[in-house]
Each structure stands twice: as structure tokens, then as C-alpha cells.
Amino acid sequence: MFDLPVLNAPAQEASLYAPSDAATQDQAARKLYVETYGCHMNASDSEIVKGVMHSNGYAMTDKPDDADVILLNTCAIRDNAEKKIHERLKHLKFYKRRRQDLVIGVLGCMAERMREELVIQKNIVDLVIGPDEYRTLPALVEKAFQGEKGIAVKLSRVETYDDIEPLRTEGISAWIAIMRGCDKFCTFCVVPFTRGRERSRAAHLIVDETKRLWDAGFKEVSLLGQNVNSYHDDVAGTDFADLLRATARAVPEMRIRYTTSHPYDMSDKLIETMAEFDNICKYVHLPVQSGSDRVLQAMNRDYTVEHYKERLRKIKELMPGCALTTDIIVGFPTETEEEHHMTLELMREIRYDGAFMFKYSPRERTKAWKMEDDVPEETKTRRLNEIIEQQQRIATEINQALIGTIEKVLVEGEGRRDATKWKGRTDTNKFVMFPHLTDEASGKTAGYVVGDIVSIRITKATSMTLVGEIVA
Ligand code: SAH
Ligand code: SF4
Ligand code: F3S
């Protein structure tokens, strides 16, 4: 779930999609800065947080130096994710020294576990608020300005923030959280503990939101959930494939993506729905985690390698050009060298377009926490390097085979480093750079703007990026 850049997403005011209310006009409004770590779900939650605060009179800033309130939306998925937050908090202590009245809050997946440590021991943080308690933010921030510390970390069985308008940053791509929490309880994973039980939003509200986004100028939406295949609107009797179909029909020119699927319940119906609609992107992120049935069972993943491969056969049968990415964990407790080689072998056989690869990191409260973390660190590192190296080689080969082909690219805007190069994404979620054509006389963009879909002939390729030129 880490394919789109989510870290430190700019928090400037959204002109296209800001909820309009009196507070927007208040020039003296307090300023909020939100820094986001972790997955797309957190990025989407940060927009909900900004929506809540914006309608309570706060202005947004993308500079922590200008902020009256700094919120870190945290991730607890692996130890290094948590370490990053601790480092950041140490740094924020200096801000606090400079400005006594600055309010600092910790949100998201570290909230529950870190509440005591953060508020009581470290004295840096004024607020700790978990993923289901963002409605309490304005009141708790207000109290924090009066010097009162606030903690709200209860998880809910029903909260979906259905009525909150997320404050989206101006752009062409939007996230829509369609569900919250996770009931899968993979033995390595902390998410069911940090985000609580699974619950889905009403389908008609998601379809309406997509329509409004189209009217506001967005060209692409990503429907988000930890396990979208379990999505269910109990009132309407709608499953995820139905939702996808309804969304694709309602906004036929919107590019529609989704993430993440769980291989156990990736249904034929879902694959058939993807194949049926041109505007549903031909890209599937299907985390496999390991190439060994024994390890998969120890992870409580509920599927076998054969079941997984059979799902991929169905995907490729109906959508031959569909891109595939995955997540892999190396060094899960008891993983043998032979089992590691099974993972390498599976990755060679499937030939993923991309993979997010991790060393196993023990997480408190999970089942695997009670198992001995018995794969030595240097073995984990070596195994990780082996899969990364192999994957890079495969992805480079796959991408280089695209040289000479013409891809439809959704134009996202200037490249980060070089304004003469523009960037965009293919339907299959591949990142493409291309020289920006300007009309010499007027200096204006020749023929296309951000949000257009252009044809690009691919001329170069690496494991992560395609380079090409516009086809007239
Ligand atoms: N809900 C998504 C995954 C969310 S977490 C899914 O099921 O696909 C994203 C990825 O982080 C997981 O797929 C897994 O590969 C990795 N991950 C989760 N917990 C981990 C841990 N304790 N150590 C290492 N990697 C982990
Ligand atoms: Fe974690 Fe498994 Fe749920 Fe994904 S499906 S969030 S890996 S428990
Ligand atoms: Fe996402 Fe990290 Fe939480 S991956 S769900 S922000 S633990």
C-alpha cells in the first residue's frame, strides 16, 4: 500500500474542494500543520482531520514554523516506522521550547500504545488521539491551549466519518476510504489492534462522493481499505464488486483504482467487474507475503500458494495487460532458508511489476509477538537484499519490454526536480516522465493540461520509472 507518495503531503488550502464555511474567511484563524506517515489510509485520515479542523475555524499551513497546532499522523506497522516518529518528536521539542503555546498532537496508529509514554513521560506531546476519535480534536485542541493534556484513543465499531467532508489538497487524484479497520488478524500485523474492527461505509455515499469529486475536477479516485474484498454495505446488500461497478458506471471517465485486496477473497466477480469497465485501472496490488504454505499458515493468511496463483491466472486470463504488485515479508519467525527460496522462486515465476519488501518486525499484541523472533538480523538483511535485487532485475525487464509501445498517461504536472519534465501515470500505475512541450511563441503548454490523458511513446525504462515522449 505504499505506491503513492504520502509522506508530508502538502497541507495547503484546497481551492477546488474546501468545504465552504464562515471559518475560511477568518484571516486570524489558528494554523494547523499535519504531517502524515504510513499508508494511504492515514493519508486519507489526515484529510478527514483537516476537514474537521477546517470547519472549526482552523487555517491550514504546510510550514510547521507557522503552525499553532502540529499534528503527527503516525504509523506503527514496523519498528522503524515508530522510530521515525520518536526522532521527529525529539526535533519538535525545539519548536515547543521556542513557542510555549504551541500544541503538539500524536494521531493515528501509534496513539493507543504510546499514550502514557508520550504524554506523561516525555512532556512533548499535548494530545494523543486514535483513528476513531478525530471528532474530539477541536475540543481537545482548545483545552490544550488552556494547558490541559488530552487523550482519546477508544476504537469504535461504527465510526466511518461518513458525514465529514475531507479537506483534499488540490489535485487530480483523490483517496476515498470505503471502510475502516481489519478483522483478518494476520499474526504479524498490528493493524487490527491500532484501527479496530472492520466496518464499511454506505455504498451510495461513496458513489455520490466520487461524482462530486469528478465535478470538482478530480480525474482519478482510489478506493481504500485494508482489505477491500471484505467491503459490505449491509443495508443495500452491496459487496465490493457491486460498489466498484456502481462507481465505474456513475462516473465513466474517472479512473478508478482500489487497494488493498486480500488473496483469500479476491472473487471471480471482482475480477470480472474489473475486466468489464475501461475506467477501472488494470492494476492489482495483491500481497502474497511468502512463497511457503507453511509460513502462510503461521501468518494466518488463509490461502495457499496454489490458491494465490490460481487467482493470478484468472486475473491474467481476463486482463492480460494487468499490472501486479505485492508485499513480501522476509524472516518471519521459523522461516527456513528453503522457505525463503520458495519466496524467491514464486517471485520469479509470477514476475511482479513491483513489490514492497520488508524484514519481519515483531509487534506487541500480535500472535507472532509470542513466537521467538528467531531469524537473525543479518539473515533477514541478506534475504531482503536477495529479493530486492531479483525484483529490481525483473521489474527492469518488464518495463524495458515496454520501450516502443504507446501508453495512455494521466498528466499529473511538473516533475519534482526538473520543471521541463512532466510526470504522469499509466492505467497500470507506472510512473512516466516526459519532456514538457511548450509553444515557443506563447510559452504556454502545447495542447494538454494537468488532468488530461496523453499518449506517450516509451523510450527508456528502469525498474521504477518509464521515460517517453508525447505522440502527436
Ligand atoms: N492490509 C494490507 C496490508 C497493510 S500493511 C494487506 O493485507 O495487504 C502493509 C504491509 O506491511 C503488509 O502487507 C506486510 O507485508 C507488511 N507488514 C505488516 N506487518 C508487518 C510486520 N510486523 N513486519 C514486517 N512487515 C509487516
Ligand atoms: Fe494486517 Fe492482515 Fe489486516 Fe492486512 S489483512 S491489515 S496484513 S491483519
Ligand atoms: Fe497504515 Fe501504518 Fe496504521 S500502515 S494502518 S498507518 S500501522
Side-chain angles (χ1 to χ4, degrees):
M1 285 194 56
F2 301 87
D3 45 342
L4 296 169
V6 296
L7 289 183
N8 306 337
Q12 73 259 33
E13 206 91 327
S15 57
L16 270 175
Y17 211 64
S20 59
D21 54 55
T24 357
Q25 283 120 45
D26 180 2
Q27 292 305 310
R30 282 183 176 138
K31 290 202 181 105
L32 169 69
Y33 169 75
V34 184
E35 198 165 279
T36 308
Y37 297 81
C39 63
H40 296 146
M41 211 63 198
N42 251 19
S44 160
D45 274 6
S46 287
E47 294 177 342
I48 288 171
V49 164
K50 287 178 202 165
V52 169
M53 294 296 277
H54 184 78
S55 54
N56 277 271
Y58 284 82
M60 303 300 135
T61 174
D62 55 4
K63 296 188 192 73
D65 285 304
D66 292 349
D68 302 288
V69 181
I70 295 181
L71 300 175
L72 301 187
N73 196 0
T74 63
C75 171
I77 200 82
R78 283 169 291 275
D79 190 47
N80 52 11
E82 291 196 346
K83 282 208 179 103
K84 231 189 262 172
I85 302 294
H86 287 297
E87 284 306 308
R88 187 67 178 128
L89 284 172
K90 271 191 221 152
H91 190 224
L92 289 181
K93 200 152 76 176
F94 297 106
Y95 283 74
K96 192 93 173 169
R97 280 207 198 122
R98 262 202 325 251
R99 274 197 50 193
Q100 294 298 317
D101 60 342
L102 175 70
V103 168
I104 296 182
V106 166
L107 316 177
C109 289
M110 275 170 79
E112 153 68 25
R113 212 156 76 77
M114 307 314 278
R115 58 186 170 166
E116 279 188 16
E117 191 185 339
L118 289 175
V119 179
I120 297 160
Q121 296 172 13
K122 292 212 169 145
N123 216 17
I124 308 170
V125 171
D126 305 291
L127 299 169
V128 178
I129 301 180
D132 288 343
E133 295 263 32
Y134 296 146
R135 288 175 199 272
T136 66
L137 255 165
L140 291 182
V141 169
E142 205 44 55
K143 283 190 184 163
F145 278 118
Q146 317 302 322
E148 205 178 305
K149 301 236 172 209
I151 300 179
V153 292
K154 266 201 226 107
L155 291 169
S156 158
R157 280 176 177 265
V158 291
E159 179 63 271
T160 56
Y161 300 114
D162 247 342
D163 55 319
I164 307 264
E165 194 78 85
L167 186 67
R168 293 187 165 96
T169 306
E170 191 177 327
I172 52 163
S173 245
W175 294 299
I176 303 182
I178 61 166
M179 59 200 295
R180 301 182 69 80
C182 182
D183 283 353
K184 282 283 182 192
F185 290 94
C186 303
T187 56
F188 51 80
C189 184
V190 79
V191 172
F193 304 98
T194 62
R195 290 190 160 263
R197 305 312 297 268
E198 184 185 288
R199 64 223 100 114
S200 298
R201 290 178 59 197
H204 70 277
L205 294 177
I206 298 166
V207 173
D208 287 350
E209 192 169 342
T210 314
K211 282 191 201 153
R212 286 202 308 278
L213 287 166
W214 178 258
D215 293 340
F218 285 85
K219 304 291 183 200
E220 180 178 81
V221 292
S222 298
L223 307 182
L224 298 181
Q226 293 299 347
N227 171 20
V228 290
N229 312 103
S230 305
Y231 171 88
H232 205 266
D233 175 342
D234 292 331
V235 178
T238 310
D239 67 11
F240 182 61
D242 299 329
L243 173 70
L244 205 55
R245 169 184 294 272
T247 317
R249 269 217 183 115
V251 198
E253 285 175 74
M254 182 79 105
R255 268 191 178 182
I256 297 169
R257 302 187 182 282
Y258 67 88
T259 198
T260 302
S261 298
H262 191 290
Y264 175 75
D265 30 27
M266 177 96 205
S267 67
D268 280 357
K269 182 175 166 189
L270 174 57
I271 300 170
E272 283 155 13
T273 307
M274 281 184 79
E276 188 184 330
F277 289 88
D278 280 347
N279 62 328
I280 303 179
C281 292
K282 302 299 177 272
Y283 165 72
V284 178
H285 180 62
L286 200 60
V288 67
Q289 314 296 359
S290 167
S292 146
D293 284 343
R294 192 198 66 83
V295 174
L296 287 175
Q297 199 176 9
M299 288 175 162
N300 192 32
R301 288 292 289 184
D302 278 339
Y303 53 84
T304 59
V305 172
E306 191 40 48
H307 170 86
Y308 184 89
K309 288 202 281 197
E310 193 276 321
R311 293 293 75 201
L312 292 194
R313 279 195 287 273
K314 182 82 187 175
I315 291 171
K316 288 283 183 184
E317 181 196 323
L318 295 193
M319 299 174 285
C322 187
L324 279 173
T325 57
T326 198
D327 294 344
I328 306 276
I329 297 178
V330 297
F332 185 78
T334 72
E335 184 192 62
T336 64
E337 205 53 31
E338 194 192 344
E339 287 162 339
H340 165 61
H341 278 276
M342 293 164 96
T343 303
L344 278 163
E345 169 65 32
L346 181 70
M347 293 176 82
R348 276 199 299 277
E349 189 183 331
I350 292 173
R351 293 176 67 77
Y352 289 105
D353 293 83
F356 302 92
M357 297 163 277
F358 312 103
K359 285 191 241 179
Y360 169 69
S361 167
R363 305 280 72 205
E364 230 174 308
R365 299 173 76 187
T366 62
K367 266 203 171 157
W369 174 257
K370 297 186 196 87
M371 300 171 76
E372 193 192 340
D373 182 18
D374 60 353
V375 179
E377 183 59 27
E378 57 278 14
T379 309
K380 283 185 190 168
T381 305
R382 189 214 356 112
R383 288 181 188 171
L384 182 65
N385 288 338
E386 284 174 9
I387 60 168
I388 290 176
E389 222 169 88
Q390 174 178 281
Q391 177 53 36
Q392 276 177 348
R393 183 174 49 71
I394 293 170
T396 307
E397 285 167 12
I398 293 176
N399 287 345
Q400 289 193 340
L402 294 174
I403 292 175
T405 63
I406 293 173
E407 300 287 323
K408 298 257 179 249
V409 172
L410 176 61
V411 179
E412 287 175 7
E414 278 176 16
R416 224 182 301 164
R417 277 183 235 137
D418 178 357
T420 65
K421 299 241 166 47
W422 274 36
K423 62 179 180 179
R425 256 166 220 281
T426 64
D427 177 63
T428 51
N429 210 25
K430 291 185 192 268
F431 185 73
V432 186
M433 301 289 295
F434 48 94
H436 183 46
L437 296 182
T438 43
D439 178 69
E440 276 182 21
S442 66
K444 283 189 185 151
T445 302
Y448 61 88
V449 292
V450 171
D452 280 355
I453 291 185
V454 294
S455 294
I456 305 276
R457 182 180 293 107
I458 305 304
T459 53
K460 264 197 254 168
T462 65
S463 64
M464 303 285 279
T465 310
L466 303 176
V467 178
E469 56 201 16
I470 303 239
V471 179

